Amino acid sequence: MALDFSFSPEHEAVRDLVRRFAREVMAPLVNEAEENEVFPRELFRQWGELGLLGVRYPQADGGSGMDKIADCIIREEMSVVCQAFASSWSAHTHLGIWPIWRAGTPAQQERFFKPALRGEKISAFGLSEPDGGSNIRAMRTHARKVEGGWRISGSKLYITNAPIADFMLLAARTSPELTVQAISLFIVELPHSGFAISKLKKESIRSSETGLIHIDDAFVPDDCLLGERTGTYPVILDSLSENRVGVAANALGMARAAFEAASAYANDRLVGGKRIGDYQAIAHKLADMAADIEAAKWLVYHGAWLVDQGRLDAAMAAKVKLVASETAVRVSESAIRILGGAGIMREYPVGRIHRDAMLYVIGEGTSEIQRNIIARALGFKA
């Protein structure tokens, strides 16, 4: 039986919409945002008006009612123009509000989820900590029950959108046991007198604002506890594999952008009276880049299709993320080599793309972690 895969007309319409918006509206903002390391907040409201913040959520809940393939298309096309903008979009639309949609009370959804879908409020997700990263067994942030609410103390590190967020979904230990059931999620409105947020300066995704957070005995009322129940961290665990497919689409977009810049340069740059792309050494680099991108593309969208079929497993998610992120690093490095001296000039995007691509061999689980997951699925004790 012949097998065929093609994007639906709805998927192609989403791609066309996002591609035009990214190139006409987002692209002119990139240089200033990256130089000043400031995210243009107006993008959130514009994304909301276009329905791009709610692409994965049901129409009945205010979303666009589409699928994971559409989500990956948006990520890919945004990442072609600016990975920092795509990262802020991702942190908001996925971990920042997905648990509220999944486990929040009706009142919490009205107060936080729905305004976030419209881009009226910006969200962040506070999990990683200075000493333990995302390892819940090392989590020190804790919440103590008091009359009328909770007292929270601790710290969070590398929190995307924290400096610009209107609210944060915060993970904290509500009991001393070393289990996921001991971790609960709180929705905290910002600014908050007990939360001191310091903006971090970064080499990668510079205009996606990232924060270090110190929490000093901060009081939050009972209605800030997600779902008004403890032990809600498993809600986050349910989404991690799917999000690895999502960030793989981000990496695919960066690889495409680097290839497009290198190909254009190889066509325009003349040495010895001919285009540098006509020299075999450069042509072979471009050929390898094109092949790697094509392979990563279909792996990413196969992973998205598996999500939509309810068939994605952790090992497959790891394969998708590993291949796409390593492709983005490899292709962007090749692009710098093709451009030569121009490759390290800010006039060209390939240096920025390479810095941004390095994020995804670290974030959402390092490449080594992905290899461990794959190896264990093969029966080896990596």
Side-chain angles (χ1 to χ4, degrees):
M1 180 177 66
L3 297 177
D4 179 49
F5 172 83
S6 61
F7 294 106
S8 71
E10 292 77 13
H11 290 141
E12 295 294 358
V14 169
R15 187 181 295 279
D16 182 62
L17 170 68
V18 179
R19 181 175 292 176
R20 285 189 288 107
F21 180 81
R23 295 185 178 182
E24 294 172 9
V25 179
M26 291 167 55
L29 304 175
V30 173
N31 287 341
E32 182 178 354
E34 286 287 295
E35 287 294 326
N36 296 329
E37 301 186 30
V38 174
F39 183 88
R41 290 178 59 101
E42 67 270 18
L43 283 178
F44 273 101
R45 189 174 292 273
Q46 292 171 306
W47 289 333
E49 290 171 353
L50 292 173
L52 300 181
L53 297 176
V55 64
R56 289 296 315 286
Y57 299 103
Q59 290 179 330
D61 296 328
S64 301
M66 297 194 75
D67 54 14
K68 187 63 179 179
I69 292 174
D71 174 83
C72 287
I73 288 171
I74 293 171
R75 290 168 177 269
E76 179 188 350
E77 293 300 331
M78 284 188 180
S79 297
V80 169
V81 169
C82 181
Q83 180 51 43
F85 293 175
S87 292
S88 289
W89 177 91
S90 175
H92 174 88
T93 60
H94 192 67
L95 291 179
I97 62 174
W98 187 86
I100 302 174
W101 170 74
R102 182 69 179 272
T105 65
Q108 290 169 341
Q109 292 174 2
E110 286 291 331
R111 184 177 171 188
F112 298 104
F113 173 74
K114 291 186 178 180
L117 284 189
R118 298 190 294 266
E120 296 168 2
K121 291 185 177 182
I122 300 173
S123 67
F125 177 67
L127 174 63
S128 297
E129 297 191 352
D131 294 330
S134 300
N135 178 11
I136 64 164
R137 293 184 179 276
M139 186 176 292
R140 296 186 178 182
T141 300
H142 60 276
R144 174 173 54 89
K145 187 70 181 76
V146 296
E147 183 177 355
W150 299 78
R151 290 280 180 182
I152 305 176
S153 295
S155 57
K156 299 293 179 180
L157 182 63
Y158 306 140
I159 307 305
T160 303
N161 290 345
I164 61 171
D166 298 296
F167 67 90
M168 174 178 296
L169 196 62
L170 181 79
R173 189 180 296 280
T174 48
S175 63
E177 293 81 11
L178 298 179
T179 66
V180 294
Q181 288 74 26
I183 306 301
S184 302
L185 297 172
F186 295 84
I187 312 170
V188 182
E189 287 195 274
L190 299 173
H192 189 293
S193 60
F195 282 60
I197 301 177
S198 302
K199 181 176 172 179
L200 301 173
K201 297 185 71 66
K202 310 187 302 297
E203 287 299 332
S204 181
I205 59 167
R206 291 176 177 173
S207 57
S208 177
E209 299 189 35
T210 305
L212 166 65
I213 306 169
H214 291 289
I215 310 164
D216 184 15
D217 198 34
F219 175 80
V220 297
D222 281 325
D223 62 4
C224 288
L225 180 64
L226 182 68
E228 296 185 351
R229 59 188 176 89
T230 58
T232 46
Y233 186 74
V235 174
I236 292 297
L237 296 181
D238 289 342
S239 70
L240 291 180
S241 290
E242 176 182 329
N243 202 44
R244 284 175 175 156
V245 173
V247 299
N250 290 49
L252 173 63
M254 285 185 283
R256 270 185 51 206
F259 174 76
E260 289 172 8
S263 183
Y265 189 86
N267 184 66
D268 295 339
R269 175 78 165 128
L270 299 178
V271 173
K274 66 178 183 179
R275 302 175 302 175
I276 64 169
D278 292 327
Y279 288 96
Q280 189 179 73
I282 301 300
H284 280 187
K285 274 189 171 63
L286 291 166
D288 286 341
M289 294 159 74
D292 283 349
I293 291 169
E294 192 72 10
K297 172 183 175 180
W298 294 112
L299 188 58
V300 166
Y301 285 104
H302 178 60
W305 179 82
L306 288 173
V307 170
D308 292 331
Q309 300 300 310
R311 292 167 49 191
L312 182 75
D313 59 41
M316 187 63 196
K319 292 173 186 175
V320 174
K321 198 265 185 181
L322 174 66
V323 169
S325 60
E326 293 288 350
T327 294
V329 171
R330 189 165 56 250
V331 168
S332 57
E333 180 181 347
S334 292
I336 293 173
R337 290 174 181 269
I338 289 171
L339 269 68
I344 60 171
M345 297 296 146
R346 292 193 180 181
E347 174 185 355
Y348 296 91
V350 292
R352 167 173 58 84
I353 295 168
H354 186 60
R355 292 196 310 269
D356 291 351
M358 290 299 297
L359 168 68
Y360 287 115
V361 296
I362 300 170
E364 299 291 335
T366 65
S367 289
E368 290 72 25
I369 291 294
Q370 307 311 318
R371 292 184 177 102
N372 283 348
I373 294 170
I374 297 165
R376 285 197 292 270
L378 296 174
F380 299 101
K381 297 179 180 179

